[in-house]
Amino acid sequence: MSKISAAITAVGGYVPEYVLTNQILETMVDTNDEWITTRTGIKERRILKEDGKGTSFLAINAAKDLLNKTGLDPKEIDLVIVATASPDMKAASTAAYTATQIGATNAFSFDLEAACSSFLFGMSTASSYIESGKYKKILLIGADKNSSFINYKDRATCIIFGDGAGAVLFEPNNEGLGLQDEYLRSDGSGREFLQATYGGSSYPSTPEAVAEGKHYVFQDGKTVFKNAVFNMADVAEKIMTRNNLSKSDVAWLVAHQANKRIIDATANRMGLDEKKVMMNIEKYGNTTSATLPLLLNDYETQLKKGDNLIFAAFGGGFTWGSIYLKWAYNS
Ligand code: UT7
């Protein structure tokens, strides 16, 4: 019997309508389009504005996009994983609500949190369930409503983040396509450089903390930048070496969209031409768990069966890693 591998067989995506441009940000904080564009590559990001709508709203819409495109009956889905760093609520699973809303009534579901690496680590989790033979259809959604904990008076963070969601379906494959190898890492000594300190279990929110904005995301950009450049490039190169992949074997780099300069540095280390680097940071900014699936959604029509894709991500924690996946279909 040939080994079962875990392939991505469908993708979907969703971003909210409201477009927060660099020009609008110029009216909110002391910044300018030129600085943001040259330092990050970002031109605009999407923001979910409606009251009472959280990450699940984004996740549900991305999942519905996938279901509409494929005609898949949601009752066939075995497991729904929502990779997110911004769950709807404490003590209630965002994935459970999402699964029910899309009609995945025969599935179990859970949230997976690893900051900007949530989706990448979710790919590993979903694939392991498929490879074991235990489940046949796993919906992995990366979704984040970053605007819910961004301080729009802090120019160091508000120019970077956006809201969005992407979804992929994992299914068994017996042609050797799908996930081939992974190299995943974390280092908790990095947590002081990127965190929202208040509002979790260490420091529950207090009126004083909220008044001082301590529930918002804080980032020591320079330190995170250095670590992201080094580690993302390092793991991407390691996974190529381990799998005997030369630069001509790699069809696409699918890298977390945090800063165009970080992505360029990773592509350089891999020796990749710009044409092989998926990029949509200019439209969406950093959507945390949604960057990788939104790239797949935007580039789906250009992907060919058998293409070698190298995924790479880096995020809070610190968490980071790289995955090598063979694309399984022509769209
Ligand atoms: O997804 C999770 C992982 N996150 C990341 O990977 C993000 C990593 N970090 C970054 O992408 C970059 O560090 C930033 C985009 C956040 C900042 O870029 P930078 O090149 O590291 O800028 P900097 O913080 O060193 O600031 C350079 C200058 C400073 O002025 P002085 O001290 O040189 O006079 C800042 O005050 O730019 C100033 N500055 C700004 N100017 C205009 C900082 N933010 C802004 C701004 N607009 N928004």
CSV table of all heavy atoms in Angstrom, one decimal, residues 29-32 35-36 39-40 116 155-157 159-161 194 219-226 228 256-259 261-262 286 288 314-316, ligand 1:
chain,number,residue,atom,x,y,z
A,29,VAL,N,-1.7,59.2,12.5
A,29,VAL,CA,-0.4,59.2,13.3
A,29,VAL,C,0.7,59.9,12.4
A,29,VAL,O,0.5,60.2,11.2
A,29,VAL,CB,0.1,57.8,13.6
A,29,VAL,CG1,-0.8,57.1,14.7
A,29,VAL,CG2,0.1,56.9,12.3
A,30,ASP,N,1.8,60.2,13.1
A,30,ASP,CA,2.9,60.9,12.4
A,30,ASP,C,3.7,59.9,11.5
A,30,ASP,O,4.6,59.3,12.0
A,30,ASP,CB,3.8,61.5,13.5
A,30,ASP,CG,5.0,62.3,12.8
A,30,ASP,OD1,4.9,62.6,11.6
A,30,ASP,OD2,5.9,62.6,13.6
A,31,THR,N,3.2,59.7,10.3
A,31,THR,CA,3.8,58.8,9.4
A,31,THR,C,3.6,59.3,8.0
A,31,THR,O,2.9,60.3,7.8
A,31,THR,CB,3.3,57.4,9.6
A,31,THR,OG1,4.1,56.5,8.8
A,31,THR,CG2,1.8,57.2,9.1
A,32,ASN,N,4.1,58.6,7.0
A,32,ASN,CA,3.9,59.0,5.6
A,32,ASN,C,4.0,57.8,4.7
A,32,ASN,O,4.7,56.8,5.0
A,32,ASN,CB,4.8,60.1,5.2
A,32,ASN,CG,6.3,59.7,5.3
A,32,ASN,OD1,6.8,58.9,4.5
A,32,ASN,ND2,6.9,60.1,6.4
A,35,TRP,N,7.5,56.4,3.9
A,35,TRP,CA,8.2,55.6,4.9
A,35,TRP,C,7.6,54.2,5.0
A,35,TRP,O,8.3,53.2,5.0
A,35,TRP,CB,8.0,56.3,6.3
A,35,TRP,CG,8.9,55.7,7.4
A,35,TRP,CD1,10.1,56.2,7.8
A,35,TRP,CD2,8.6,54.6,8.2
A,35,TRP,NE1,10.6,55.4,8.7
A,35,TRP,CE2,9.7,54.3,9.0
A,35,TRP,CE3,7.6,53.7,8.2
A,35,TRP,CZ2,9.8,53.3,9.9
A,35,TRP,CZ3,7.6,52.6,9.1
A,35,TRP,CH2,8.7,52.4,10.0
A,36,ILE,N,6.3,54.2,5.0
A,36,ILE,CA,5.6,52.8,5.2
A,36,ILE,C,6.0,52.0,4.0
A,36,ILE,O,6.3,50.8,4.1
A,36,ILE,CB,4.1,53.0,5.3
A,36,ILE,CG1,3.7,53.9,6.5
A,36,ILE,CG2,3.4,51.6,5.5
A,36,ILE,CD1,2.2,54.2,6.6
A,39,ARG,N,9.8,50.9,4.0
A,39,ARG,CA,10.2,50.1,5.2
A,39,ARG,C,9.5,48.8,5.3
A,39,ARG,O,10.0,47.9,5.9
A,39,ARG,CB,10.0,50.9,6.5
A,39,ARG,CG,10.8,52.1,6.7
A,39,ARG,CD,12.2,51.8,6.9
A,39,ARG,NE,13.0,53.0,7.0
A,39,ARG,CZ,13.8,53.3,8.1
A,39,ARG,NH1,14.0,52.4,9.0
A,39,ARG,NH2,14.5,54.4,8.1
A,40,THR,N,8.2,48.7,4.7
A,40,THR,CA,7.4,47.5,4.9
A,40,THR,C,6.9,46.9,3.6
A,40,THR,O,6.6,45.7,3.6
A,40,THR,CB,6.2,47.8,5.8
A,40,THR,OG1,5.3,48.6,5.1
A,40,THR,CG2,6.6,48.5,7.1
A,116,CYS,N,2.0,34.5,14.7
A,116,CYS,CA,2.1,34.5,13.2
A,116,CYS,C,2.4,33.2,12.6
A,116,CYS,O,2.3,33.0,11.4
A,116,CYS,CB,3.1,35.6,12.7
A,116,CYS,SG,2.5,37.2,13.1
A,155,ARG,N,2.3,54.5,16.0
A,155,ARG,CA,2.7,54.3,14.6
A,155,ARG,C,3.7,53.1,14.3
A,155,ARG,O,3.9,52.7,13.2
A,155,ARG,CB,3.4,55.6,14.1
A,155,ARG,CG,4.8,55.9,14.7
A,155,ARG,CD,5.4,57.1,14.1
A,155,ARG,NE,6.7,57.3,14.7
A,155,ARG,CZ,7.6,58.3,14.2
A,155,ARG,NH1,7.2,59.1,13.3
A,155,ARG,NH2,8.7,58.4,14.8
A,156,ALA,N,4.2,52.6,15.4
A,156,ALA,CA,5.1,51.5,15.3
A,156,ALA,C,4.4,50.2,15.0
A,156,ALA,O,4.9,49.2,14.4
A,156,ALA,CB,5.9,51.3,16.6
A,157,THR,N,3.1,50.1,15.3
A,157,THR,CA,2.3,48.9,15.0
A,157,THR,C,1.1,49.1,14.1
A,157,THR,O,0.8,48.2,13.3
A,157,THR,CB,1.8,48.3,16.3
A,157,THR,OG1,1.1,49.3,17.1
A,157,THR,CG2,2.9,47.7,17.1
A,159,ILE,N,0.6,50.7,11.4
A,159,ILE,CA,0.8,50.7,10.0
A,159,ILE,C,1.0,49.3,9.4
A,159,ILE,O,0.9,49.1,8.2
A,159,ILE,CB,2.1,51.6,9.6
A,159,ILE,CG1,3.3,51.0,10.4
A,159,ILE,CG2,1.8,53.0,10.0
A,159,ILE,CD1,4.5,50.8,9.6
A,160,ILE,N,1.2,48.3,10.3
A,160,ILE,CA,1.6,47.0,9.9
A,160,ILE,C,0.4,46.0,9.7
A,160,ILE,O,0.3,45.3,8.7
A,160,ILE,CB,2.6,46.4,10.9
A,160,ILE,CG1,3.9,47.2,11.0
A,160,ILE,CG2,2.9,44.9,10.5
A,160,ILE,CD1,4.8,46.8,12.1
A,161,PHE,N,-0.5,46.1,10.7
A,161,PHE,CA,-1.4,44.9,10.8
A,161,PHE,C,-2.8,45.2,10.0
A,161,PHE,O,-3.2,46.3,10.0
A,161,PHE,CB,-1.7,44.6,12.2
A,161,PHE,CG,-0.5,44.0,12.9
A,161,PHE,CD1,0.3,44.8,13.7
A,161,PHE,CD2,-0.2,42.7,12.8
A,161,PHE,CE1,1.5,44.3,14.3
A,161,PHE,CE2,0.9,42.1,13.4
A,161,PHE,CZ,1.8,42.9,14.2
A,194,LEU,N,7.4,41.0,21.6
A,194,LEU,CA,6.2,41.1,20.8
A,194,LEU,C,5.0,40.5,21.6
A,194,LEU,O,5.0,39.3,21.8
A,194,LEU,CB,6.3,40.4,19.4
A,194,LEU,CG,5.1,40.3,18.5
A,194,LEU,CD1,4.5,41.6,18.3
A,194,LEU,CD2,5.5,39.7,17.2
A,219,GLN,N,5.4,46.0,20.1
A,219,GLN,CA,6.5,45.3,19.3
A,219,GLN,C,7.8,46.1,19.4
A,219,GLN,O,7.8,47.3,19.1
A,219,GLN,CB,6.0,45.1,17.9
A,219,GLN,CG,7.1,44.5,17.0
A,219,GLN,CD,6.7,44.0,15.7
A,219,GLN,OE1,6.7,42.9,15.4
A,219,GLN,NE2,6.3,45.0,14.8
A,220,ASP,N,8.8,45.4,19.7
A,220,ASP,CA,10.2,46.0,19.5
A,220,ASP,C,10.6,45.6,18.1
A,220,ASP,O,11.2,44.5,17.9
A,220,ASP,CB,11.1,45.4,20.6
A,220,ASP,CG,12.6,45.8,20.4
A,220,ASP,OD1,12.9,46.3,19.3
A,220,ASP,OD2,13.4,45.5,21.3
A,221,GLY,N,10.2,46.4,17.2
A,221,GLY,CA,10.3,46.1,15.7
A,221,GLY,C,11.7,45.7,15.3
A,221,GLY,O,11.8,44.7,14.6
A,222,LYS,N,12.7,46.4,15.7
A,222,LYS,CA,14.1,46.1,15.3
A,222,LYS,C,14.5,44.7,15.7
A,222,LYS,O,15.1,43.9,14.9
A,222,LYS,CB,15.1,47.1,15.9
A,222,LYS,CG,15.4,48.2,15.0
A,222,LYS,CD,16.7,48.9,15.5
A,222,LYS,CE,16.9,50.2,14.8
A,222,LYS,NZ,16.5,50.3,13.5
A,223,THR,N,14.2,44.3,17.0
A,223,THR,CA,14.6,43.0,17.5
A,223,THR,C,13.8,41.9,16.8
A,223,THR,O,14.4,40.9,16.3
A,223,THR,CB,14.4,42.9,19.0
A,223,THR,OG1,15.1,43.9,19.6
A,223,THR,CG2,14.9,41.5,19.6
A,224,VAL,N,12.5,42.1,16.6
A,224,VAL,CA,11.7,41.1,15.9
A,224,VAL,C,12.2,41.0,14.4
A,224,VAL,O,12.3,39.9,13.9
A,224,VAL,CB,10.2,41.5,15.9
A,224,VAL,CG1,9.4,40.4,15.2
A,224,VAL,CG2,9.7,41.5,17.4
A,225,PHE,N,12.5,42.1,13.8
A,225,PHE,CA,13.0,42.1,12.4
A,225,PHE,C,14.2,41.2,12.3
A,225,PHE,O,14.3,40.4,11.4
A,225,PHE,CB,13.2,43.5,12.0
A,225,PHE,CG,13.6,43.7,10.6
A,225,PHE,CD1,12.7,43.9,9.6
A,225,PHE,CD2,15.0,43.7,10.2
A,225,PHE,CE1,13.0,44.0,8.3
A,225,PHE,CE2,15.3,43.8,8.9
A,225,PHE,CZ,14.3,44.0,7.9
A,226,LYS,N,15.2,41.5,13.2
A,226,LYS,CA,16.5,40.8,13.1
A,226,LYS,C,16.3,39.3,13.2
A,226,LYS,O,16.8,38.4,12.5
A,226,LYS,CB,17.4,41.2,14.2
A,226,LYS,CG,18.3,42.4,13.8
A,226,LYS,CD,19.3,42.6,14.9
A,226,LYS,CE,19.4,44.1,15.1
A,226,LYS,NZ,19.8,44.5,16.5
A,228,ALA,N,13.5,37.6,12.8
A,228,ALA,CA,12.7,37.1,11.6
A,228,ALA,C,13.5,36.8,10.4
A,228,ALA,O,13.5,35.8,9.8
A,228,ALA,CB,11.5,38.0,11.3
A,256,HIS,N,5.3,34.3,5.2
A,256,HIS,CA,4.5,35.1,6.0
A,256,HIS,C,4.7,36.6,5.6
A,256,HIS,O,5.9,37.0,5.5
A,256,HIS,CB,4.9,34.9,7.5
A,256,HIS,CG,4.2,35.8,8.4
A,256,HIS,ND1,2.8,36.0,8.5
A,256,HIS,CD2,4.7,36.7,9.4
A,256,HIS,CE1,2.5,36.9,9.4
A,256,HIS,NE2,3.6,37.3,10.0
A,257,GLN,N,3.6,37.3,5.5
A,257,GLN,CA,3.7,38.7,5.0
A,257,GLN,C,3.8,39.7,6.2
A,257,GLN,O,2.8,40.2,6.6
A,257,GLN,CB,2.5,39.0,4.1
A,257,GLN,CG,2.3,38.0,3.0
A,257,GLN,CD,3.2,38.2,1.8
A,257,GLN,OE1,3.1,39.2,1.1
A,257,GLN,NE2,4.2,37.3,1.6
A,258,ALA,N,5.0,39.8,6.7
A,258,ALA,CA,5.2,40.8,7.9
A,258,ALA,C,5.9,42.0,7.4
A,258,ALA,O,5.6,43.1,7.9
A,258,ALA,CB,6.0,40.1,9.0
A,259,ASN,N,6.8,41.9,6.5
A,259,ASN,CA,7.6,43.0,6.0
A,259,ASN,C,8.2,42.5,4.7
A,259,ASN,O,8.9,41.5,4.7
A,259,ASN,CB,8.6,43.4,7.1
A,259,ASN,CG,9.4,44.6,6.7
A,259,ASN,OD1,9.7,44.8,5.5
A,259,ASN,ND2,9.6,45.5,7.7
A,261,ARG,N,10.8,43.4,3.3
A,261,ARG,CA,12.3,43.3,3.4
A,261,ARG,C,12.7,41.9,4.0
A,261,ARG,O,13.7,41.4,3.7
A,261,ARG,CB,12.9,44.4,4.3
A,261,ARG,CG,12.8,45.8,3.5
A,261,ARG,CD,13.5,46.8,4.3
A,261,ARG,NE,12.8,47.2,5.5
A,261,ARG,CZ,13.3,47.5,6.7
A,261,ARG,NH1,14.6,47.6,6.9
A,261,ARG,NH2,12.5,47.9,7.7
A,262,ILE,N,11.8,41.4,4.9
A,262,ILE,CA,12.1,40.1,5.5
A,262,ILE,C,11.9,39.0,4.5
A,262,ILE,O,12.7,38.1,4.3
A,262,ILE,CB,11.2,39.8,6.7
A,262,ILE,CG1,11.4,40.9,7.8
A,262,ILE,CG2,11.4,38.4,7.3
A,262,ILE,CD1,10.4,40.8,9.0
A,286,ASN,N,0.0,42.9,7.4
A,286,ASN,CA,0.3,41.6,8.1
A,286,ASN,C,-1.0,41.1,8.7
A,286,ASN,O,-1.5,41.7,9.7
A,286,ASN,CB,1.3,41.9,9.2
A,286,ASN,CG,1.7,40.6,10.0
A,286,ASN,OD1,1.0,39.6,9.9
A,286,ASN,ND2,2.7,40.7,10.8
A,288,THR,N,-1.4,38.2,10.2
A,288,THR,CA,-1.0,37.2,11.1
A,288,THR,C,-1.3,35.8,10.6
A,288,THR,O,-0.6,35.3,9.7
A,288,THR,CB,-1.7,37.5,12.5
A,288,THR,OG1,-1.3,38.8,12.9
A,288,THR,CG2,-1.2,36.6,13.6
A,314,PHE,N,7.4,33.5,10.6
A,314,PHE,CA,8.0,33.8,11.9
A,314,PHE,C,7.1,34.7,12.7
A,314,PHE,O,6.4,35.6,12.1
A,314,PHE,CB,9.3,34.6,11.7
A,314,PHE,CG,10.0,35.0,13.0
A,314,PHE,CD1,11.0,34.1,13.5
A,314,PHE,CD2,9.7,36.1,13.6
A,314,PHE,CE1,11.6,34.4,14.7
A,314,PHE,CE2,10.4,36.4,14.9
A,314,PHE,CZ,11.3,35.6,15.4
A,315,GLY,N,7.0,34.5,14.0
A,315,GLY,CA,6.0,35.4,14.7
A,315,GLY,C,6.3,35.4,16.2
A,315,GLY,O,7.3,34.8,16.7
A,316,GLY,N,5.4,36.0,16.9
A,316,GLY,CA,5.5,36.2,18.4
A,316,GLY,C,5.7,34.9,19.1
A,316,GLY,O,5.3,33.8,18.7
B,1,UT7,O1,4.4,39.2,12.1
B,1,UT7,C1,5.2,39.1,13.3
B,1,UT7,C2,6.5,39.4,13.1
B,1,UT7,N1,6.7,40.8,13.0
B,1,UT7,C3,7.6,41.3,12.2
B,1,UT7,O2,8.3,40.5,11.5
B,1,UT7,C4,7.9,42.8,12.1
B,1,UT7,C5,9.4,43.1,12.2
B,1,UT7,N2,9.7,44.5,12.3
B,1,UT7,C6,9.6,45.3,11.2
B,1,UT7,O3,9.0,45.0,10.2
B,1,UT7,C7,10.2,46.7,11.3
B,1,UT7,O4,11.1,46.7,12.4
B,1,UT7,C8,9.2,47.9,11.4
B,1,UT7,C9,8.5,48.0,10.1
B,1,UT7,C10,8.2,47.6,12.5
B,1,UT7,C11,10.0,49.2,11.7
B,1,UT7,O5,11.0,49.3,10.7
B,1,UT7,P1,12.5,49.7,11.1
B,1,UT7,O6,13.2,49.9,9.8
B,1,UT7,O7,13.0,48.7,12.0
B,1,UT7,O8,12.3,51.1,11.8
B,1,UT7,P2,12.7,51.6,13.2
B,1,UT7,O9,11.8,51.1,14.2
B,1,UT7,O10,14.2,51.3,13.4
B,1,UT7,O11,12.6,53.1,13.1
B,1,UT7,C12,13.4,53.9,12.2
B,1,UT7,C13,12.9,55.4,12.3
B,1,UT7,C14,12.8,55.9,13.7
B,1,UT7,O12,13.2,57.2,13.7
B,1,UT7,P3,14.7,57.7,14.2
B,1,UT7,O13,14.8,57.1,15.6
B,1,UT7,O14,15.7,57.0,13.3
B,1,UT7,O15,14.6,59.1,14.1
B,1,UT7,C15,11.4,55.7,14.1
B,1,UT7,O16,11.0,56.6,15.1
B,1,UT7,O17,11.6,55.5,11.8
B,1,UT7,C16,10.7,56.1,12.7
B,1,UT7,N3,9.4,55.4,12.6
B,1,UT7,C17,8.5,55.9,11.7
B,1,UT7,N4,8.5,57.0,10.9
B,1,UT7,C18,7.4,57.1,10.1
B,1,UT7,C19,9.0,54.3,13.2
B,1,UT7,N5,7.7,54.1,12.8
B,1,UT7,C20,7.4,55.0,11.9
B,1,UT7,C21,6.3,55.3,11.1
B,1,UT7,N6,6.3,56.3,10.2
B,1,UT7,N7,5.2,54.5,11.1
